[in-house]
């Protein structure tokens, strides 16, 4: 049951104010004003309350609310209940907002790393109360905490944690107080009638691996015609390379991980090298992605604790970006995307002009509400359109602290959908066409290949545990009225891991995988007899994630790093010539690294 303090419900809050307590800094709400209620009790029977709450979340027959990004499953709703319990126990401890010091303490608790005042605010730390952020209580909280500076701080906070994300008409308007009261009441009572109002079709119970001949035919074609071949033929200058030299000789000016004390063991594959491209002194946020030529590296998070960062490796400089997270680059080096209040699409020429910062109001940028969070982008070959894909997703931002010892859950349902948005490159921007939705069963975290001819999704099993990856062909046919799309499945790989990424020749997928503290398979993979082996204990206790290559032709998985306990290799992705970039986080530390591996160039 959600632990809502009685004092917060259906009252104006606040204590009796003495004359001295009425004095506050300019712009700060006074104690005499009293805090507005965070929530109010709702007097409805369970049978009437439950379906109204599920509809607000985005259940059957609802507008697009939370279901615009998440699958509304029983497991996910219970997970949000648990997050809300933690938020009330640890963070929302003074709903009367008795003092400015108390207000600031509650806000500090909502940060990604509460001990670090520069780390960004995280919606996860608020549970369902992230849906109440636009309501009066949070505004009062910021007035108390920041005085005359409250508006700018509150705007940043809302931009980071307000849920649902997005704006009308594609997304539901922010919840009214009455709507949030109803939703919170259901959580407060412990989700009564959950099974009745949110029936779950049973997910598949096992994964049957299979690879059709279509995969080999596609890989053989992409070897000669894919974006890797096209970019090489056009003479794309790869960062850190000498013209005419083999790709494996690139990035030789950067230090090898094996020469650094912290990088011992990172080079796990015989003959492969790992190079350290950048050390950063702040905590990145969610995934890292780079441009096809490897020059620009982007991620959420910044030195100021707000916004995002684009690193120009060629000029050894940092470009602040006024976005949140989820960067992506089109495979022909024509443009990039970031998520903020909307999805921002920009011309690559903006970055090559050496800007001091990126505000996404530049003439090279445009914004739309069509493309949702956790998007991935590709481009059709031969001068075709650009594409973005998004679907239900499970957030993955591990490695800042000791991460739960398993891969992200796969809470996808029988009503899961893949959303495909064609993008027209006008020469000065990227304009979206109508989004196409395709139903899939129990799939999410979908990624599109560079050529836009393949899709791969994580596949859900019982209790939201991942069963594997489903690979699909994307057959898009344009007519006068738009596109028709078919997505037949052509392979299934029974492996676990995070969101995958394709190589530019589309032979490989690369993933990160968190060790499971009770997995014999993970222990044996690291050279131990089983999870009970004492040598495995540091990995189980401190956590670790490694990078793996998956051969799409055979389904074989190859580990290419061996990180030390407490080190997390994350968010791997390819650049055009086959080098793999990835992020390295150290649990409990702000120092991170951007690294590169030539493992895919070493494997036969």
């Amino acid at each position: 049951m959600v632990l809502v303090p009685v004092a917060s419900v259906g009252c104006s809050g606040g204590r009796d104010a003495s004359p001295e307590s009425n004095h506050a800094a300019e712009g700060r709400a006074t104690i005499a004003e009293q805090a507005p209620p965070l929530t109010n009790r709702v007097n409805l029977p369970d049978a009437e309350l439950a379906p109204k709450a599920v509809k607000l979340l985005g259940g059957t027959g609802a507008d697009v609310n939370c279901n615009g990004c998440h699958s509304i499953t029983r497991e996910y709703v219970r997970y949000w209940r648990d997050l809300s319990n933690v938020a009330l126990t640890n963070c929302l401890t003074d709903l009367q907002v008795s003092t400015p010091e108390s207000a600031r303490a509650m806000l500090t608790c909502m940060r990604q790393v509460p001990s670090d005042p520069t780390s960004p605010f995280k919606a996860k730390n608020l549970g369902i109360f992230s849906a109440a952020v636009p309501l009066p209580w949070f505004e009062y909280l910021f007035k108390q905490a920041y005085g005359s500076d409250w508006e700018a701080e509150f705007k940043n906070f809302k931009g980071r944690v307000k849920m649902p994300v997005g704006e009308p008409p594609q997304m539901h308007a922010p919840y009214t107080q009455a709507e949030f009261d109803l939703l919170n009441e259901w959580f407060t009572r412990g989700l009564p009638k959950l099974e009745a109002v949110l029936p779950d079709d049973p997910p598949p119970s096992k994964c049957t691996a299979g690879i059709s001949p279509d995969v080999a035919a596609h890989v053989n074609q992409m070897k000669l015609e894919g974006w890797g071949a096209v970019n090489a033929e056009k003479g794309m200058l790869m960062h850190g390379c000498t013209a005419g030299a083999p790709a494996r000789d690139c990035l030789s000016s950067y230090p090898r991980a094996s020469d650094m004390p912290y990088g011992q063991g990172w080079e796990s594959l015989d003959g492969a090298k790992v190079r350290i491209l950048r050390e950063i002194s702040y905590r990145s946020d969610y995934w890292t992605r780079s441009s096809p030529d490897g020059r620009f590296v982007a991620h959420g998070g910044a030195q100021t604790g707000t916004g995002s960062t684009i690193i120009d490796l060629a000029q050894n400089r940092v470009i602040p970006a006024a976005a949140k997270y989820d960067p992506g680059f089109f495979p022909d080096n024509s443009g990039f995307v970031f998520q903020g209040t909307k999805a921002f699409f920009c011309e690559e020429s903006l970055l090559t002009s050496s800007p001091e910062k990126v505000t996404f109001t530049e003439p090279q940028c445009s914004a739309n509400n069509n493309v949702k969070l956790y998007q991935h982008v590709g481009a059709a070959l031969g001068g075709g359109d650009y594409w973005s894909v998004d679907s239900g997703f499970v957030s993955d931002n591990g490695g800042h602290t000791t991460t739960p010892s398993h891969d992200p859950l796969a809470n996808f349902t029988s009503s899961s959908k893949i959303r495909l948005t064609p993008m027209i490159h006008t020469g000065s921007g990227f304009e979206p066409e109508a989004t196409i939705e395709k139903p899939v069963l129990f799939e999410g975290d979908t990624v599109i290949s560079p050529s836009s001819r393949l899709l791969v999704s994580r596949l859900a099993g019982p209790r939201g545990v991942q069963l594997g990856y489903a690979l699909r062909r994307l057959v898009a046919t344009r007519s006068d009225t738009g596109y028709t799309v078919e997505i037949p499945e052509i392979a299934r790989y029974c492996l676990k891991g995070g969101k995958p990424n394709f190589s530019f020749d589309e032979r490989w997928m690369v993933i990160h995988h968190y060790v499971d503290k009770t997995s014999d398979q993970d222990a044996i993979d690291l050279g131990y007899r089983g999870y009970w082996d004492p040598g495995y204990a540091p990995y189980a206790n401190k956590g670790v994630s490694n990078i793996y290559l998956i051969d799409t032709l055979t389904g074989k998985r190859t580990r290419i790093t061996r990180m030390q306990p407490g080190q997390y290799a994350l968010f791997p992705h390819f650049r055009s010539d086959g080098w793999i970039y990835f992020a390295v986080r150290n649990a409990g530390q702000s120092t991170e690294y951007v690294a590169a591996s030539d493992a895919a160039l070493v494997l036969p």
Side-chain angles (χ1 to χ4, degrees):
M1 172 177 255
V2 174
L3 307 175
V4 179
V6 173
S8 72
V9 182
C11 62
S12 58
R15 59 181 177 180
D16 292 338
S18 65
E20 292 78 15
S21 68
N22 290 336
H23 178 72
E26 181 182 354
R28 175 172 289 140
T30 66
I31 299 300
E33 280 183 50
Q34 297 188 331
L38 175 59
T39 62
N40 301 283
R41 298 306 300 265
V42 175
N43 185 22
L44 287 176
D46 291 348
E48 186 176 347
L49 176 68
K52 290 179 180 292
V54 168
K55 185 174 181 179
L56 283 171
L57 289 175
T60 304
D63 296 331
V64 178
N65 293 355
C66 306
N67 58 322
C69 296
H70 306 286
S71 297
I72 308 302
T73 67
R74 295 176 191 171
E75 290 294 325
Y76 228 119
V77 171
R78 292 185 181 111
Y79 171 65
W80 286 336
R81 175 196 60 192
D82 294 341
L83 292 180
S84 304
N85 281 336
V86 172
L88 283 166
T89 301
N90 295 345
C91 298
L92 301 175
T93 54
D94 179 16
L95 298 182
Q96 298 174 8
V97 196
S98 305
T99 65
E101 292 74 20
S102 176
R104 289 191 291 269
M106 285 190 283
L107 289 170
T108 297
C109 181
M110 299 175 199
R111 295 186 180 275
Q112 178 173 275
V113 181
S115 60
D116 180 359
T118 67
S119 68
F121 292 106
K122 302 304 296 180
K124 180 179 179 181
N125 290 354
L126 280 79
I128 64 163
F129 296 99
S130 60
V133 166
L135 299 177
W137 186 86
F138 276 95
E139 180 176 311
Y140 182 88
L141 177 68
F142 272 80
K143 288 179 178 179
Q144 280 289 82
Y146 291 105
S148 59
D149 297 327
W150 76 273
E151 288 185 276
E153 297 288 347
F154 187 44
K155 181 180 179 181
N156 169 54
F157 178 76
K158 283 198 295 185
R160 299 294 304 186
V161 305
K162 179 184 74 69
M163 295 293 166
V165 174
E167 300 176 1
Q170 286 80 12
M171 293 292 285
H172 191 279
Y175 290 123
T176 65
Q177 184 70 59
E179 288 174 326
F180 180 74
D181 290 343
L182 190 150
L183 185 63
N184 181 69
E185 181 72 25
W186 190 48
F187 277 79
T188 299
R189 296 186 196 178
L191 310 175
K193 307 294 183 181
L194 173 63
E195 289 75 12
V197 297
L198 197 58
D200 280 353
D201 291 334
S205 59
K206 63 180 181 178
C207 177
T208 302
I211 303 171
S212 79
D214 286 358
V215 177
H218 176 82
V219 169
N220 288 334
Q221 183 181 13
M222 291 300 99
K223 182 178 181 180
L224 301 175
E225 302 175 16
W227 277 114
V230 170
N231 290 339
E233 184 178 352
K234 289 182 176 180
M236 179 181 286
L237 180 61
M238 304 301 299
H239 175 69
C241 298
T242 301
R248 289 198 63 203
D249 292 344
C250 296
L251 303 176
S252 58
S253 64
Y254 290 95
R256 285 186 67 169
S258 58
D259 295 332
M260 312 300 286
Y262 55 79
Q264 299 304 303
W266 291 13
E267 297 176 350
S268 176
L269 184 68
D270 288 344
K273 302 181 294 292
V274 172
R275 299 285 185 182
I276 309 299
L277 304 182
R278 185 86 177 186
E279 178 179 322
I280 59 177
S281 58
Y282 54 88
R283 291 181 170 91
S284 62
D285 199 18
Y286 291 96
W287 70 52
T288 296
R289 292 289 186 264
S290 64
S291 56
D293 61 3
R295 173 179 172 179
F296 298 102
V297 178
H299 47 226
Q303 289 175 322
T304 60
T306 61
S308 297
T309 300
I310 302 170
I311 301 167
D312 185 343
L313 293 173
Q315 296 185 357
N316 192 28
R317 57 190 294 267
V318 168
I319 306 169
K324 294 181 181 178
Y325 31 59
D326 296 1
F329 291 82
F330 286 114
D332 59 353
N333 240 20
S334 62
F336 65 100
V337 57
F338 252 111
Q339 289 284 353
T341 54
K342 299 180 179 181
F344 300 121
F345 286 82
C346 302
E347 298 283 323
E348 194 85 359
S349 59
L350 174 60
L351 298 183
T352 57
S353 67
S354 301
E356 290 298 317
K357 60 183 178 180
V358 174
T359 64
F360 298 101
T361 59
E362 295 85 356
Q364 300 97 322
C365 297
S366 60
N368 70 74
N369 283 321
N370 299 51
V371 176
K372 307 303 181 186
L373 297 181
Y374 258 53
Q375 87 297 325
H376 206 275
V377 294
L381 295 159
D385 290 331
Y386 295 77
W387 288 84
S388 175
V389 66
D390 58 82
S391 64
F393 66 85
V394 177
S395 297
D396 183 2
N397 198 20
H400 291 299
T401 57
T402 300
T403 299
S405 59
H406 55 72
D407 289 316
L409 292 175
N411 290 312
F412 312 123
T413 71
S414 59
S415 59
S416 297
K417 296 178 182 178
I418 292 174
R419 303 176 71 257
L420 294 153
T421 305
M423 308 286 294
I424 307 300
H425 191 199
T426 65
S428 59
F430 298 87
E431 297 297 330
E433 293 192 337
T435 296
I436 304 155
E437 293 187 345
K438 300 296 291 186
V440 290
L441 295 175
F442 302 102
E443 294 180 29
D445 282 334
T446 304
V447 169
I448 196 168
S449 70
S451 69
S452 301
R453 296 185 185 180
L454 294 179
L455 299 167
V456 64
S457 303
R458 297 175 68 235
L459 179 64
R463 300 177 303 281
V465 175
Q466 182 188 2
L467 287 181
Y469 295 93
L471 184 69
R472 297 177 176 273
R473 279 197 303 131
L474 171 55
V475 184
T477 305
R478 180 178 271 287
S479 68
D480 292 340
T481 58
Y483 278 99
T484 58
V485 167
E486 300 297 331
I487 53 170
E489 184 174 332
I490 59 174
R492 186 163 289 194
Y493 307 99
C494 299
L495 305 166
K496 294 181 181 180
K499 187 165 182 156
N501 194 276
F502 286 98
S503 60
F504 277 62
D505 63 2
E506 305 191 14
R507 163 73 184 273
W508 304 99
M509 293 189 295
V510 64
I511 62 172
H512 64 264
H513 166 64
Y514 299 94
V515 299
D516 190 319
K517 66 170 59 178
T518 60
S519 169
D520 281 332
Q521 181 180 353
D522 284 344
I524 292 170
D525 181 49
L526 294 177
Y528 301 101
R529 294 168 292 173
Y531 74 87
W532 42 266
D533 191 316
Y536 186 62
Y539 297 92
N541 295 333
K542 294 184 178 181
V544 72
S545 64
N546 282 300
I547 307 299
Y548 291 80
L549 278 169
I550 300 173
D551 188 339
T552 60
L553 293 178
T554 65
K556 181 181 179 181
R557 186 182 78 161
T558 302
R559 178 169 48 80
I560 65 172
T561 65
R562 184 192 173 107
M563 309 306 289
Q564 301 170 26
Q567 291 181 333
Y568 293 83
L570 299 165
F571 316 124
H573 59 280
F574 283 90
R575 69 182 205 177
S576 188
D577 62 355
W579 277 83
I580 299 166
Y581 284 17
F582 60 97
V584 177
R585 293 173 176 171
N586 297 283
Q589 301 179 28
S590 58
T591 302
E592 299 183 8
Y593 304 93
V594 179
S597 169
D598 63 355
L601 302 171
V602 172
L603 287 172

